[in-house]
Amino acid sequence: MSSKRQSKSGSAKPSEEATTFLRNMHHFNRGIVRRLTPIIESEHGIDLRLYFILKYIEKGAIHPSAISQATHLPNSVITRHIDQLVERGMLQRSLDPDDSRRIRLIVTDEGKRVAQDADASLSRIVDVQLDRIPADRRQTFLSVLSDLASEIES
């Protein structure tokens, strides 16, 4: 089944499935952000954007340009977020020992603590949502979601 069909004017129209998928993903993303943001901010003093930047650095994106590339955000936006994390004592900047023209980012003990505590809070909330999916469908859902995310990123 094709994901597009031709309209009377000749332009392609998304299929009903594509429209439903996009609408549901939009609502899903908005709902997750709306539910998680106040908890992360009140319990851990950071917003989701800063949390995810800490997580990217923990996973090896130690240069601002790598974070920008991974998040698809402009360098200027990443720099502002990094500045906030540095001001809050969660991140340090240092010269890269392999290339003194580059800045290397290091998560501080405080940043590790906040990220770990936020991980626990987020897991608690997301686990409740995932538990609403019957066990026999949950793993399939997670696999399909992972496949879609990988496909979109490639």
Short mmCIF file of all heavy atoms in Angstrom, two decimals, residues 36-46 113-114 117-118 120-122 124-125:
data_model
loop_
_atom_site.label_atom_id
_atom_site.label_comp_id
_atom_site.label_asym_id
_atom_site.label_seq_id
_atom_site.Cartn_x
_atom_site.Cartn_y
_atom_site.Cartn_z
N LEU A 36 6.43 15.45 31.90
CA LEU A 36 7.76 15.29 32.50
C LEU A 36 8.42 16.61 32.89
O LEU A 36 9.14 16.67 33.90
CB LEU A 36 8.68 14.53 31.56
CG LEU A 36 8.26 13.11 31.19
CD1 LEU A 36 9.27 12.49 30.25
CD2 LEU A 36 8.05 12.26 32.41
N THR A 37 8.20 17.66 32.12
CA THR A 37 8.89 18.93 32.36
C THR A 37 8.68 19.48 33.77
O THR A 37 9.66 19.80 34.45
CB THR A 37 8.49 19.98 31.30
OG1 THR A 37 8.94 19.49 30.02
CG2 THR A 37 9.13 21.32 31.57
N PRO A 38 7.44 19.58 34.27
CA PRO A 38 7.29 20.15 35.61
C PRO A 38 7.97 19.31 36.70
O PRO A 38 8.48 19.86 37.68
CB PRO A 38 5.78 20.19 35.84
CG PRO A 38 5.12 19.76 34.59
CD PRO A 38 6.16 19.29 33.65
N ILE A 39 8.00 18.01 36.52
CA ILE A 39 8.62 17.15 37.53
C ILE A 39 10.13 17.33 37.53
O ILE A 39 10.75 17.50 38.59
CB ILE A 39 8.22 15.68 37.29
CG1 ILE A 39 6.73 15.54 37.57
CG2 ILE A 39 9.05 14.73 38.13
CD1 ILE A 39 6.10 14.31 37.02
N ILE A 40 10.73 17.32 36.34
CA ILE A 40 12.19 17.51 36.25
C ILE A 40 12.58 18.88 36.80
O ILE A 40 13.56 19.01 37.52
CB ILE A 40 12.66 17.34 34.79
CG1 ILE A 40 12.46 15.90 34.34
CG2 ILE A 40 14.11 17.75 34.61
CD1 ILE A 40 13.24 14.88 35.13
N GLU A 41 11.81 19.90 36.43
CA GLU A 41 12.13 21.25 36.90
C GLU A 41 11.97 21.39 38.41
O GLU A 41 12.84 21.94 39.08
CB GLU A 41 11.27 22.28 36.17
CG GLU A 41 11.67 22.45 34.73
CD GLU A 41 10.79 23.41 33.95
OE1 GLU A 41 9.73 23.83 34.47
OE2 GLU A 41 11.16 23.74 32.81
N SER A 42 10.89 20.87 38.97
CA SER A 42 10.65 21.05 40.40
C SER A 42 11.53 20.15 41.26
O SER A 42 12.01 20.56 42.31
CB SER A 42 9.18 20.83 40.75
OG SER A 42 8.81 19.49 40.55
N GLU A 43 11.76 18.92 40.82
CA GLU A 43 12.54 17.98 41.62
C GLU A 43 14.04 18.10 41.41
O GLU A 43 14.81 17.75 42.31
CB GLU A 43 12.10 16.54 41.34
CG GLU A 43 10.70 16.23 41.82
CD GLU A 43 10.30 14.77 41.59
OE1 GLU A 43 11.18 13.95 41.25
OE2 GLU A 43 9.10 14.48 41.75
N HIS A 44 14.47 18.56 40.23
CA HIS A 44 15.90 18.52 39.90
C HIS A 44 16.48 19.85 39.43
O HIS A 44 17.68 19.95 39.21
CB HIS A 44 16.15 17.42 38.87
CG HIS A 44 15.57 16.10 39.30
ND1 HIS A 44 16.07 15.38 40.36
CD2 HIS A 44 14.49 15.42 38.86
CE1 HIS A 44 15.34 14.29 40.53
NE2 HIS A 44 14.36 14.30 39.64
N GLY A 45 15.63 20.85 39.26
CA GLY A 45 16.11 22.18 38.94
C GLY A 45 16.63 22.38 37.53
O GLY A 45 17.34 23.35 37.26
N ILE A 46 16.30 21.46 36.62
CA ILE A 46 16.69 21.64 35.21
C ILE A 46 15.49 21.30 34.34
O ILE A 46 14.55 20.66 34.79
CB ILE A 46 17.90 20.76 34.81
CG1 ILE A 46 17.59 19.27 34.96
CG2 ILE A 46 19.13 21.14 35.59
CD1 ILE A 46 18.67 18.35 34.40
N ARG A 113 25.01 13.53 39.59
CA ARG A 113 23.99 13.30 40.61
C ARG A 113 22.62 13.72 40.09
O ARG A 113 21.63 12.98 40.21
CB ARG A 113 24.32 14.06 41.90
CG ARG A 113 23.31 13.79 43.03
CD ARG A 113 23.44 14.78 44.17
NE ARG A 113 23.14 16.15 43.80
CZ ARG A 113 21.91 16.63 43.54
NH1 ARG A 113 20.85 15.84 43.62
NH2 ARG A 113 21.73 17.90 43.21
N VAL A 114 22.54 14.93 39.51
CA VAL A 114 21.27 15.43 38.98
C VAL A 114 20.76 14.51 37.87
O VAL A 114 19.57 14.15 37.85
CB VAL A 114 21.41 16.88 38.49
CG1 VAL A 114 20.20 17.32 37.68
CG2 VAL A 114 21.63 17.82 39.66
N ASP A 117 19.52 11.23 39.45
CA ASP A 117 18.25 11.44 40.14
C ASP A 117 17.11 11.68 39.15
O ASP A 117 15.99 11.17 39.33
CB ASP A 117 18.34 12.63 41.11
CG ASP A 117 19.25 12.36 42.30
OD1 ASP A 117 19.66 11.19 42.50
OD2 ASP A 117 19.55 13.33 43.03
N ALA A 118 17.38 12.44 38.10
CA ALA A 118 16.37 12.69 37.07
C ALA A 118 16.03 11.39 36.33
O ALA A 118 14.86 11.15 36.02
CB ALA A 118 16.85 13.76 36.10
N ALA A 120 15.98 8.43 37.58
CA ALA A 120 15.08 7.67 38.46
C ALA A 120 13.66 8.24 38.41
O ALA A 120 12.68 7.49 38.33
CB ALA A 120 15.61 7.68 39.89
N SER A 121 13.55 9.57 38.44
CA SER A 121 12.22 10.21 38.37
C SER A 121 11.54 9.91 37.04
O SER A 121 10.35 9.56 37.00
CB SER A 121 12.34 11.72 38.53
OG SER A 121 12.79 12.06 39.81
N LEU A 122 12.28 10.06 35.94
CA LEU A 122 11.71 9.81 34.63
C LEU A 122 11.31 8.35 34.47
O LEU A 122 10.23 8.05 33.93
CB LEU A 122 12.69 10.22 33.53
CG LEU A 122 12.96 11.71 33.42
CD1 LEU A 122 14.07 11.98 32.43
CD2 LEU A 122 11.71 12.47 33.05
N ARG A 124 10.42 6.29 36.78
CA ARG A 124 9.23 6.05 37.59
C ARG A 124 7.97 6.47 36.84
O ARG A 124 6.97 5.74 36.79
CB ARG A 124 9.36 6.82 38.91
CG ARG A 124 8.27 6.57 39.92
CD ARG A 124 8.50 7.36 41.20
NE ARG A 124 8.32 8.78 40.97
CZ ARG A 124 9.28 9.70 41.10
NH1 ARG A 124 10.49 9.36 41.45
NH2 ARG A 124 9.04 10.97 40.86
N ILE A 125 8.01 7.62 36.20
CA ILE A 125 6.85 8.15 35.49
C ILE A 125 6.58 7.35 34.20
O ILE A 125 5.45 6.96 33.92
CB ILE A 125 7.06 9.63 35.15
CG1 ILE A 125 7.17 10.43 36.44
CG2 ILE A 125 5.94 10.16 34.27
CD1 ILE A 125 7.82 11.77 36.26
#
